[in-house]
Amino acid sequence: MTDQKSSRTPKDTHYANLRRQFRDQKAGSVGKGPVGKGPAGKPQRPQRPATDATPVPEGLIRLYGLHTVRAALDNPARQIRRMLVTRNALDRLEIADVGALPFAVEIVEPRAIDRETGSEAVHQGVMIEARPLKTHSLKALQDSSLLLILDQVTDPHNVGAIMRSAVAFGAGAIITTARHSPQESGVLAKAASGALELIPHIEVRNLADAIGELHDLGFVTIGLDSEGPLELEQTMTPGRIALVLGAEGKGLRQKTRETVSHLARLDMPGAIKSLNVSNAAAISLYAAQRFLAAGSQAA
């Protein structure tokens, strides 16, 4: 009978160690041996334990990150109640006179902000507590020629990235549904990298009715769909354009598909025929902005 232990190859021993490491980590072991080493036997950096954020005061939100906070400071509509900031971040924000700010400022160590935001937040040494911005109405769109509408897009990272693209390409506003859309938060604002303060945000209860109102205001509404019958460029007309993008995974709802002026696809010659909603938003905004700019120059 063969001795299993003596017949092990180095490869067998390596995988046995990996299995033991997995069991020990799952059980919370901190003993010696392979625990804490990667497949090549190199020590791994210890993971910083995640900490829960402290509760946010009622009626306020927490925003963090240098770009996010700088944009909030520059926005006269943003009502800030409190700031926690490290000395290094204070220098980078270029605030000349802290005492002149109309809210409380505490100069702290980074771990103090960790306790407020949770250790997973990339706060870059600054956090503010502020009131959410007021949403706008469709009546505020009289001078806009390019809009972006989100049909129940729920991921705050995606919505933040979409806001950033909307500002970059000159969209007049972003319209979302009151339900099944993320509220203002540190995660959304960080992904927006300051854009949250720079673009009007409109919430509507009934998206189909809102699209109908946009038609009355002279907008052509174009729903992005990977199986749309026309390419995006074929659906654009001079004047006013509102791009409509659907939720991650399921896309546009049936009622939205029936209400928009056109369903269109992005022409993608590669093997993949669909994109993340934030990428699709950026590409379609670029195409629409170029189309509208060319039309205004021709006129």
Side-chain angles (χ1 to χ4, degrees):
M1 184 174 181
T2 304
D3 184 352
Q4 291 182 339
K5 189 172 182 179
S6 63
S7 64
R8 283 184 177 180
T9 67
K11 185 176 181 179
D12 294 332
T13 303
H14 170 69
Y15 284 109
N17 285 340
L18 288 180
R19 288 192 294 272
R20 188 182 304 111
Q21 176 183 347
F22 175 78
R23 289 196 303 270
D24 289 344
Q25 288 177 334
K26 190 173 181 180
S29 170
V30 293
K32 297 180 179 179
V35 177
K37 292 189 177 182
K42 296 181 180 179
Q44 293 178 325
R45 295 180 62 183
Q47 295 293 319
R48 181 172 61 172
T51 59
D52 293 330
T54 58
V56 183
E58 186 175 356
L60 299 179
I61 59 173
R62 287 195 180 116
L63 305 177
Y64 48 81
L66 292 169
H67 290 299
T68 300
V69 171
R70 181 70 266 175
L73 292 173
D74 293 338
N75 183 4
R78 177 66 78 180
Q79 299 179 32
I80 301 172
R81 292 290 181 263
R82 175 185 178 228
M83 173 191 280
L84 298 184
V85 62
T86 65
R87 292 192 180 278
N88 180 54
L90 191 62
D91 291 340
R92 297 177 68 184
L93 287 168
E94 299 181 345
I95 299 174
D97 185 2
V98 175
L101 294 173
F103 48 83
V105 178
E106 300 175 48
I107 299 177
V108 298
E109 296 297 321
R111 60 179 176 272
I113 304 176
D114 287 343
R115 288 194 292 269
E116 301 281 338
T117 63
S119 61
E120 297 302 310
V122 184
H123 54 69
Q124 297 176 297
V126 62
M127 179 214 80
I128 58 173
E129 289 178 345
R131 293 194 180 281
L133 294 171
K134 293 180 180 179
T135 58
H136 296 252
S137 69
L138 290 175
K139 295 178 181 179
L141 302 176
Q142 299 298 331
D143 298 327
S144 300
S145 59
L146 177 60
L147 303 177
L148 196 62
I149 303 172
L150 303 182
D151 184 9
Q152 297 192 350
V153 178
T154 58
D155 188 324
H157 295 92
N158 279 336
V159 174
I162 289 168
M163 284 185 170
R164 187 173 183 178
S165 295
V167 171
F169 293 113
I174 185 168
I175 300 173
T176 65
T177 53
R179 296 182 61 193
H180 305 293
S181 296
Q183 300 300 307
E184 275 191 56
S185 67
V187 172
L188 186 153
K190 188 69 166 59
S193 192
L196 179 63
E197 312 293 330
L198 299 173
I199 187 167
H201 179 201
I202 298 169
E203 282 189 354
V204 296
R205 293 187 178 278
N206 187 305
L207 189 58
D209 288 348
I211 291 173
E213 289 186 49
L214 291 177
H215 292 162
D216 293 338
L217 291 172
F219 282 92
V220 172
T221 56
I222 304 172
L224 273 292
D225 187 296
S226 60
E227 298 180 358
L230 299 172
E231 294 178 11
L232 175 61
E233 291 79 1
Q234 295 175 308
T235 62
M236 294 183 186
T237 57
R240 315 181 87 181
I241 294 174
L243 301 166
V244 190
L245 290 97
E248 303 90 346
K250 62 182 180 181
L252 298 172
R253 289 176 294 167
Q254 185 60 35
K255 183 64 174 178
T256 306
R257 293 167 60 88
E258 295 170 354
T259 309
V260 295
S261 306
H262 305 285
L263 286 174
R265 67 183 186 276
L266 295 175
D267 186 29
M268 290 177 281
I272 294 178
K273 300 301 181 183
S274 64
L275 295 171
N276 172 277
V277 65
S278 65
N279 293 332
I283 294 171
S284 56
L285 281 165
Y286 173 78
Q289 190 275 335
R290 291 293 297 268
F291 177 87
L292 290 172
S296 63
Q297 290 175 3

